């Protein structure tokens, strides 16, 4: 990997005269220190936040879902050298990585990151994991764990064209080797984690049914650029087709790692599998609407529908 590509997300900050930053102002890196006491010195580097850290991966949408809202899920990660590592939503104590007592290696997704590039942090944890032994745990990971000048990204270590065979679990029993019985603090931690789970099922590619109690939802991570996706959804909304049928309602959307995640409210009395076919049909309508945008610009009514969709931003819990 070239030096240029390795540091494409890093911006050099020179002295205050050339950077345009007042030396008494907070440093752009977000450290909370004054610029002159932080990256104002020569050779300082500021990590520029990577808006779409999983771009280039065929399973980008699934990664976003597993990191953001799937409570308990695992997937076998296809590495370039054929070694076996399992991606996991949450590990015990929110560890960045661990090797279970039976030798199964897990890479955690729902962890605190210490840089502005989640992909790079995951690569650091993955590199550590490939050398770890049974029982080893990596609590956190960040730039200080990789002093080299050209740290790799996840895209450098995995098969970028591979699919991600996601398995959603009803609990966190997979934390332990098969046949193991938890005890003491482990049992208590496992019990607490299981109690916090919202029932979740995967009903399509990066499309997840979630039972939030009073309501159920479809949370669907989409790969299209936000502006184009919103235009397609507006076309459907203007036709009354932005729905999964009776018992469903478009609720809004949120952004995660550079992608838009539309959300629908669903009748909680219906089983998750009852929404599989309607979700597939909706997906086909979205694809057709996306294709139509090349030849048919939005009408006035559709533009007004798009404006309405833009204002329906939601926050998930």
């Amino acid at each position: 990997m070239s030096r240029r590509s390795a540091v494409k997300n890093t911006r050099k900050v020179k002295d205050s005269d050339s950077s345009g930053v007042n030396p008494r102002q907070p440093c752009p890196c977000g450290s909370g220190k004054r610029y002159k006491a932080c990256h104002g010195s020569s050779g300082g580097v500021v990590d520029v936040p990577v808006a779409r850290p999983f771009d280039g991966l065929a399973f980008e949408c699934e990664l976003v879902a597993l990191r953001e809202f799937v409570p308990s899920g695992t997937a076998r990660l296809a590495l370039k050298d054929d070694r076996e590592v399992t991606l996991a939503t949450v590990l015990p104590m929110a560890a960045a990585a661990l090797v279970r007592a039976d030798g199964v290696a897990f890479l955690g997704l729902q962890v605190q990151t210490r840089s502005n590039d989640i992909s790079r942090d995951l690569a650091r944890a993955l590199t550590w994991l490939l050398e770890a032994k049974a029982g080893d745990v990596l609590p956190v990971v960040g730039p200080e764990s990789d002093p080299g000048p050209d740290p790799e990204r996840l895209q450098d270590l995995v098969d970028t064209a591979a699919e991600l065979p996601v398995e959603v679990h009803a609990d966190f029993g997979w934390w332990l080797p098969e046949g193991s019985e938890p005890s003491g603090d482990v049992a208590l931690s496992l019990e607490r984690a299981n109690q916090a789970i919202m029932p979740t099922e995967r009903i399509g590619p990066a499309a997840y049914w979630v039972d939030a109690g009073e309501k159920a939802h479809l949370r669907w991570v989409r790969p299209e650029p936000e502006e184009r996706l919103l235009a397609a959804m507006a076309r459907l909304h203007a036709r009354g087709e932005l729905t999964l049928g009776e018992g469903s309602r478009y609720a809004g959307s949120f952004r995660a790692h550079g992608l838009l995640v539309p959300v629908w409210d669903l009748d909680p009395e219906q089983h998750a599998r009852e929404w599989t076919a309607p979700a597939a049909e909706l997906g086909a309508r979205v694809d057709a609407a996306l294709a139509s945008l090349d030849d048919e610009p939005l009408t006035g009514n559709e533009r007004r529908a798009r404006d309405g969709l833009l204002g329906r931003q939601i926050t998930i819990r």
Side-chain angles (χ1 to χ4, degrees), residues 294-316:
D294 295 328
D295 302 316
E296 304 171 29
L298 295 183
T299 65
N301 190 34
E302 290 169 344
R303 288 195 297 271
R304 287 188 291 274
R306 179 189 57 193
D307 293 341
L309 296 180
L310 279 168
R312 298 170 74 170
Q313 301 298 315
I314 62 175
T315 301
I316 65 170

Side-chain angles (χ1 to χ4, degrees), residues 54-60 62-63 76-80 154-165:
F54 305 131
D55 188 22
L57 296 170
F59 49 91
E60 176 185 15
E62 297 290 357
L63 270 183
R76 185 62 55 84
L77 187 62
L79 303 185
K80 288 184 177 180
L154 188 63
Q155 289 87 335
D156 300 318
L157 302 177
V158 304
D159 181 354
T160 59
E163 297 299 320
L164 196 67

Side-chain angles (χ1 to χ4, degrees), residues 7-19:
V7 297
K8 63 181 179 181
N9 293 309
T10 301
R11 174 165 56 89
K12 283 281 185 181
V13 177
K14 301 179 182 179
D15 57 51
S16 58
D17 291 336
S18 60
S19 70

Side-chain angles (χ1 to χ4, degrees), residues 92 171-194:
D171 56 33
F172 288 99
W174 52 268
W175 279 0
L176 303 173
E178 187 174 353
S180 300
E181 289 295 331
S183 60
D185 291 342
V186 174
L188 181 59
S189 177
L190 189 59
E191 181 182 1
R192 289 175 176 171
N194 289 338

Side-chain angles (χ1 to χ4, degrees), residues 90-136:
V90 183
L91 295 173
M93 305 300 292
L98 63 80
V99 182
R100 211 167 54 183
D102 58 358
V104 178
F106 288 95
L107 177 65
L109 284 169
Q110 295 181 21
V111 298
Q112 291 185 350
T113 58
R114 293 190 171 183
S115 79
N116 285 318
D117 186 357
I118 297 169
S119 177
R120 209 174 296 281
D121 283 339
L122 287 172
R124 291 180 175 109
L126 179 56
T127 300
W128 173 90
L129 194 60
L130 294 176
E131 302 297 328
K133 300 178 178 58
D136 288 350

